[in-house]
Amino acid sequence: MEMDRLGLDPAEFVAVDEEGHAAAGIDPDEVLATPTLAVVGRPNVGKSTLVNRLLGRREAVVQDVPGVTRDRVVYDALWNGRRFKLMDTGGWEPDASGLQAFVAQQAETAMRTADAVLLVVDASVGATATDQAVARVLRRADVPVLLAATKVDDDRLTSDTAELWRLGLGEPHPVSGLHGRGSGDLLDAVLEVLPETPRDDFGASGAGPRRVALVGKPNVGKSSLLNKLSGEIRSVVHDVAGTTVDPVDSLVELDGEVFRFVDTAGLRKRVKMASGMEYYASLRTSSAIEAAEVALVLIDASEPIAEQDQRVLTMVAEAGRALVILFNKWDLVDEDRREQLTRELERDLISVRWAERVNVSALTGRATQRIAPAMRRALASWETRVPTGRLNQWLNDLVAATPPPVRGGKQPKIMFATQAQTRPPTFVLFTSGFLEAGYRRFVERKLREEFGFGGTPIRLSVRVREKRPRNK
């Protein structure tokens, strides 16, 4: 690795946030991306307790109300010198629309974002109908699947785990998340199936249709646009806002390429403030964004940009997805509104000025043929990798022309840079001192000017060399 050639040891550096504090949840020794293990299972099987046991620390929160938490939280894990990530997921259970549809949706999401899957089953209860339905989906997965039998706190339940062989996922691993019994053997089995690096075929050509999340506030025209693109009625359209509640998957062919569109419910208010049907609709929309590769955010061009619009854009950027902003209902925009919209773009959407933008009309079909090219450009940027040599040559020239500002009487040096991963492009700067937030934004802006990256967020991480105590 080029860092070895330069005499730089990643272990000497610590990740910091924009205030200069050690960044929580970031591994200071980790330079390249690590593989991910998704921990899945129905509610109340001891999943979160097991996650904490595998982590060796108390991080995952055990929910008192089953089935409410649907967010996927990723933690850094270490076992026998190997680093990987643990993805804690919400519990799987049947809902009003039926077991199979719900389980398949969750299983597909976990498989798309993980390199291996760990199915957790309560050994004291045995394989339930939900466990069997999950197992049927996971048996078709293209990633390794392990089976953990939890709550095996003593030898009396060990023999009962043999009954779980009928799930068809191989040997069940008896473990106690509460006492730690069998956790070491389970971690050894995890390391055997996890690849050294994350799989690179996420969203690649030949891995299935590119996944597109169609998101925006209520009544902005998402379902109408999907119907226009597909040429048929795929989603129910009504003047009453909030008609769509569950995400609707549709395969749509655009310019000879098939895309998988997900028409989501409109976000009315913050997830923490929502309740009932709106709460679950918001969570499903958030999950659709995480499972997508590119998000089409619809904004009503005939109305002022609202707080909900900005919140949806923030969700997409924070999820690290490629982004195309569609200003819908352009047929209702007059000259005065265009001038007003220009000012709103400069004021309200400055944080996502890198996004691809298309002015469309779902009603008339105006400029809908420009959506597919915009998505392809955004996805190409999302998957772009800059060679390390070219990146550092460019960075040396940039620092020579505009060095970092002095902090505490010393000027920090940028010693090395690398692109840790793509989807989205993630860069790591190894420095001798803290870089101000303004200079980070300057580097990001120059990265875009030099290498493009239109339509994708960029993540920039700074790792500062730790001060070593002087030997007396």
Side-chain angles (χ1 to χ4, degrees):
M1 188 176 178
E2 290 194 37
M3 292 190 68
D4 297 331
R5 182 175 58 82
L6 296 174
L8 299 178
D9 182 2
E12 298 178 1
F13 297 82
V14 59
V16 296
D17 57 21
E18 293 193 354
E19 282 76 37
H21 305 297
I26 300 178
D27 184 358
D29 297 328
E30 180 189 47
V31 178
L32 298 179
T34 52
T36 300
L37 173 73
V39 182
V40 299
R42 62 181 178 82
N44 289 345
V45 294
K47 183 160 45 61
S48 295
T49 304
L50 179 60
V51 166
N52 286 332
R53 177 62 61 180
L54 297 180
L55 289 173
R57 58 188 186 273
R58 192 177 183 85
E59 289 213 25
V61 178
V62 178
Q63 298 295 321
D64 294 332
V65 181
V68 172
T69 301
R70 294 170 54 92
D71 292 332
R72 294 183 298 279
V73 185
V74 179
Y75 304 101
D76 291 315
L78 174 66
W79 180 252
N80 281 349
R82 279 191 60 187
R83 300 184 183 277
F84 61 98
K85 295 186 182 298
L86 269 180
M87 180 189 297
D88 189 15
T89 65
W92 289 354
E93 63 177 348
D95 68 351
S97 62
L99 174 63
Q100 280 298 72
F102 184 81
V103 171
Q105 175 190 353
Q106 296 303 307
E108 289 172 3
T109 300
M111 287 185 290
R112 280 195 295 263
T113 54
D115 301 286
V117 177
L118 175 65
L119 175 61
V120 180
V121 178
D122 187 343
S124 63
V125 176
T128 65
T130 303
D131 296 324
Q132 295 176 23
V134 175
R136 282 196 294 271
V137 175
L138 293 178
R139 284 198 297 267
R140 299 192 297 267
D142 59 352
V143 295
V145 179
L146 294 175
L147 176 61
T150 60
K151 302 185 181 180
V152 183
D153 299 330
D154 52 49
D155 292 332
R156 290 175 298 177
L157 284 176
T158 302
S159 59
D160 295 340
T161 61
E163 181 258 347
L164 300 179
W165 276 92
R166 65 190 181 94
L167 291 176
L169 297 177
E171 179 184 2
H173 298 272
V175 63
S176 170
L178 185 62
H179 303 297
R181 179 187 178 98
S183 59
D185 293 337
L186 177 59
L187 283 167
D188 288 340
V190 167
L191 295 188
E192 289 180 4
V193 301
L194 273 180
E196 291 292 333
T197 58
R199 51 181 176 155
D200 292 326
D201 59 351
F202 177 77
S205 176
R210 309 307 295 260
R211 298 178 298 280
V212 184
L214 203 55
V215 293
K217 67 181 183 180
N219 211 27
V220 77
K222 298 185 295 297
S223 298
S224 298
L225 179 63
L226 180 58
N227 291 339
K228 176 64 69 173
L229 294 176
S230 62
E232 59 180 293
I233 303 299
R234 296 290 184 92
S235 297
V236 176
V237 178
H238 196 277
D239 293 337
V240 177
T243 303
T244 302
V245 176
D246 292 316
V248 178
D249 281 41
S250 300
L251 293 176
V252 179
E253 183 176 352
L254 301 176
D255 292 348
E257 181 178 357
V258 176
F259 295 87
R260 181 181 295 278
F261 278 76
V262 181
D263 182 16
T264 62
L267 295 181
R268 296 174 180 268
K269 52 183 76 171
R270 298 182 187 275
V271 172
K272 294 181 180 179
M273 297 172 59
S275 61
M277 183 174 62
E278 286 187 357
Y279 175 80
Y280 289 100
S282 299
L283 287 175
R284 288 170 181 170
T285 298
S286 177
S287 296
I289 293 174
E290 292 181 6
E293 298 170 83
V294 57
L296 296 182
V297 177
L298 265 70
I299 295 178
D300 189 341
S302 65
E303 299 179 355
I305 296 177
E307 180 185 356
Q308 294 100 315
D309 298 320
Q310 299 180 53
R311 190 163 69 249
V312 172
L313 292 169
T314 300
M315 289 175 61
V316 174
E318 290 181 348
R321 299 301 177 255
L323 173 61
V324 178
I325 302 177
L326 302 181
F327 289 96
N328 193 26
K329 305 184 183 181
W330 199 256
D331 52 307
L332 303 179
V333 177
D334 56 21
E335 191 63 32
D336 293 338
R337 175 58 191 149
R338 292 184 185 182
E339 295 179 2
Q340 182 183 6
L341 182 59
T342 300
R343 294 191 296 269
E344 292 174 0
L345 292 176
E346 297 175 352
R347 182 187 67 236
D348 300 329
L349 302 187
I350 188 172
S351 62
V352 290
R353 58 178 176 266
W354 43 263
E356 292 280 342
R357 296 204 298 258
V358 184
N359 303 328
V360 302
S361 172
L363 181 63
T364 66
R366 179 195 189 277
T368 53
Q369 73 279 1
R370 295 172 53 196
I371 295 177
M375 287 194 297
R376 292 191 182 98
R377 290 193 299 270
L379 286 167
S381 297
W382 191 58
E383 296 171 330
T384 294
R385 178 175 294 279
V386 180
T388 302
R390 182 184 175 194
L391 175 64
N392 282 275
Q393 181 59 53
W394 166 83
L395 186 60
N396 290 337
D397 295 340
L398 178 68
V399 172
T402 309
V406 176
R407 179 183 173 90
K410 295 184 179 180
Q411 187 174 64
K413 296 180 180 179
I414 302 178
M415 293 171 284
F416 185 77
T418 184
Q419 183 173 355
Q421 62 185 34
T422 60
R423 308 166 186 171
T426 302
F427 297 89
V428 182
L429 304 181
F430 294 87
T431 70
S432 63
F434 175 71
L435 294 182
E436 301 286 352
Y439 194 79
R440 295 188 188 204
R441 291 191 293 270
F442 166 75
V443 173
E444 178 182 340
R445 186 173 68 253
K446 292 299 183 180
L447 269 171
R448 293 187 181 279
E449 293 178 3
E450 177 69 19
F451 302 108
F453 295 118
T456 180
I458 291 179
R459 291 176 176 171
L460 194 65
S461 174
V462 175
R463 285 174 168 80
V464 179
R465 173 175 284 174
E466 292 183 291
K467 294 182 180 179
R468 295 181 176 178
R470 293 183 178 180
N471 296 325
K472 294 184 180 181

